[in-house]
């Protein structure tokens, strides 16, 4: 019997405590995500929450770093060229770019090494 999953409420990535400030700056200022308040009972854990369309994107804090991987989130944009130019202008390094299954995309990493995909359909 299936679980009956109907959607996604939020996505969470984590960053190591030592890179929390730089990583939150990346999401706030390079990606320009709209930050929303965390519940009072969760603020002491660190990190931040952001609203992206109808979904929430959460950044949690881990005590230690981890190796780079291909795990990622893909943020959609209306203009891939403008988004790439804006990210590069704010100091982000494009790691890879191309197109797959009709999705024009590029990848970059946050200061903690999380892979971020930016795409346009």
């Amino acid at each position: 019997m299936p679980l009956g999953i109907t959607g996604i409420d939020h996505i969470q990535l984590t960053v190591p405590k030592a890179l929390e400030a730089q990583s939150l700056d990346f999401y706030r200022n390079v990606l320009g995500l709209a930050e929303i308040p965390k519940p009072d009972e969760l603020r002491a854990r660190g990190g931040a929450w952001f609203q992206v369309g109808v979904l929430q994107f959460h950044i949690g804090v881990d005590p230690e770093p981890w190796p780079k991987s291909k795990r990622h989130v893909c943020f959609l944009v209306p203009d891939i060229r403008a988004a790439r130019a804006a990210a590069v202008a704010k100091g982000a390094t494009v790691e890879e770019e191309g197109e797959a299954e009709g999705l024009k995309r590029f990848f970059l990493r946050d200061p903690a090494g999380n892979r971020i995909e930016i795409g346009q359909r």
Side-chain angles (χ1 to χ4, degrees):
M1 180 172 173
L3 295 178
I5 294 171
T6 61
I8 295 173
D9 179 77
H10 70 274
I11 296 165
Q12 176 166 306
L13 293 181
T14 60
V15 300
K17 183 67 178 162
L19 295 172
E20 179 182 10
Q22 299 96 309
S23 297
L24 294 181
D25 181 68
F26 173 85
Y27 290 103
R28 290 172 178 140
N29 298 311
V30 175
L31 297 187
L33 299 182
E35 191 167 356
I36 58 175
K38 286 181 70 170
D40 290 339
E41 63 273 15
L42 300 178
R43 285 191 190 139
R45 295 181 183 178
W49 288 10
F50 301 92
Q51 190 71 43
V52 183
V54 297
L55 296 176
Q56 288 184 14
F57 178 67
H58 299 178
I59 296 296
V61 177
D62 280 336
E64 300 293 329
W66 54 90
K68 283 186 177 181
S69 78
K70 289 188 173 188
R71 68 182 174 264
H72 67 276
V73 61
C74 178
F75 293 110
L76 294 174
V77 295
D79 185 336
I80 195 79
R81 288 183 189 155
R84 184 187 188 288
V88 169
K90 293 180 180 179
T93 301
V94 174
E95 191 173 80
E96 175 188 338
E97 56 190 308
E99 187 169 336
E101 299 179 345
L103 180 70
K104 295 175 185 172
R105 63 195 187 153
F106 66 90
F107 292 90
L108 37 96
R109 291 196 184 263
D110 72 11
N114 287 306
R115 195 171 195 221
I116 305 299
E117 181 177 6
I118 307 295
Q120 177 188 358
R121 289 215 179 265

